[in-house]
Structure formats: structure tokens, C-alpha cells
Amino acid sequence: MRHILFLLYVVGMNAGLASSTFADSPCLAAAESPESEFRHDPLKIKLSGFVNTKPEASSLGLVKFGISSYRTSAYFEVVVAEAPDCPRASHTVILQQTGKHEIDFHLFGPKALLLKVAAAEPGTPLAIVGFFQPRSRSLHLESVEVIGMER
């Protein structure tokens, strides 16, 4: 039930955003395919889900974040995985390397954003936006928001 409410909230939030077309998509201008796990160019992604929870059957999977600045890690139940600037990159493409390594995504970026993930209480719903580099499995955070919380 919480997944259904969560998905409705995420869809409602994204409905007002302008959709990009394939012609102006930066992922098509790149020399490398968004599907390549050896891609050098970063891909902007958005992951929505819950921190440190047991995944439900309807989730896309469980990823482990490495947060080296705080010498910790966190599990993240992914409910939505998308590449806003690259419609060709499905959730399968974004999550294709998960489970192959001890750490699925190495998080980097401003300490305030890293702390939001590292210090989040179990079950906290987060929307994480960043630039993902599949080759190094690094995710440079651009924003981390607690879903449902207004500033």
C-alpha cells in the first residue's frame, strides 16, 4: 500500500514537469550509448524510494550506497529510477550493475546532501537526483529531498 501511495505522489510531482523530446535529449548527443555500463559521460538520474527498509515485491530493487565521506553505507529500496534528460535509459539500464559489487553506487557531492542520506531514519522516503557514471559506479549528488516534506 505504501508503494502505491508513494508512486501516486511521485507521478503527481512529475506530471507538471515539461517532458524532453528525443531530438533535444543530451543522451543522444553523447558518443556513448546510455545502455553501456562502460559509459564515460555522466547520466543525470533520479532515484526515489526508501532508506534502510526491507524491499517489497513491487520495488525495482535494493541498492547499497557507499558514503565514504562519512565512512558508512546505506541500503536504498528503489521504487522509481529514471533519467529525466534521457528517456531511452530505462530503470533496467540505470540499475543494471546492482548486485555485482559490494557497493552499487558510490555517493559524492556536498556534505549536506551526503548527510541527508547517511543520517536518514529507516523508512524515510527520499528523491535523489545526481549525475551517474556507470563506469566508476559513482553518483554525484545534485539534490536529496525527503518526499512529502515542503521547505
Side-chain angles (χ1 to χ4, degrees):
M1 181 65 175
R2 76 179 165 131
H3 282 275
I4 293 170
L5 294 173
F6 182 78
L7 284 172
L8 288 173
Y9 180 81
V10 170
V11 169
M13 292 297 293
N14 289 333
L17 300 175
S19 63
S20 61
T21 62
F22 287 111
D24 62 7
S25 176
C27 75
L28 295 179
E32 299 169 297
S33 167
E35 293 87 9
S36 174
E37 67 183 71
F38 301 108
R39 180 183 169 96
H40 289 279
D41 297 331
L43 181 66
K44 185 175 183 175
I45 64 171
K46 179 179 180 182
L47 302 174
S48 300
F50 301 92
V51 175
N52 294 324
T53 60
K54 184 178 176 186
E56 291 186 5
S58 61
S59 70
L60 298 177
L62 187 68
V63 299
K64 186 174 183 183
F65 292 146
I67 310 168
S68 59
S69 297
Y70 291 100
R71 297 180 187 192
T72 190
S73 60
Y75 287 97
F76 190 71
E77 177 188 5
V78 180
V79 177
V80 177
E82 59 189 352
D85 297 335
C86 187
R88 269 187 19 194
S90 67
H91 70 272
T92 306
V93 168
I94 295 167
L95 301 175
Q96 69 182 334
Q97 294 185 50
T98 58
K100 294 181 182 179
H101 305 277
E102 184 179 336
I103 300 293
D104 296 311
F105 292 91
H106 298 279
L107 300 186
F108 296 96
K111 288 196 179 231
L113 298 179
L114 294 170
L115 185 60
K116 280 185 177 182
V117 177
E121 292 290 324
T124 303
L126 295 178
I128 299 171
V129 177
F131 290 91
F132 177 57
Q133 206 151 17
R135 186 178 181 122
S136 63
R137 298 184 334 273
S138 63
L139 179 60
H140 190 272
L141 300 179
E142 184 179 82
S143 70
V144 176
E145 299 295 329
V146 177
I147 297 176
M149 300 294 290
E150 298 295 324
R151 286 194 209 190

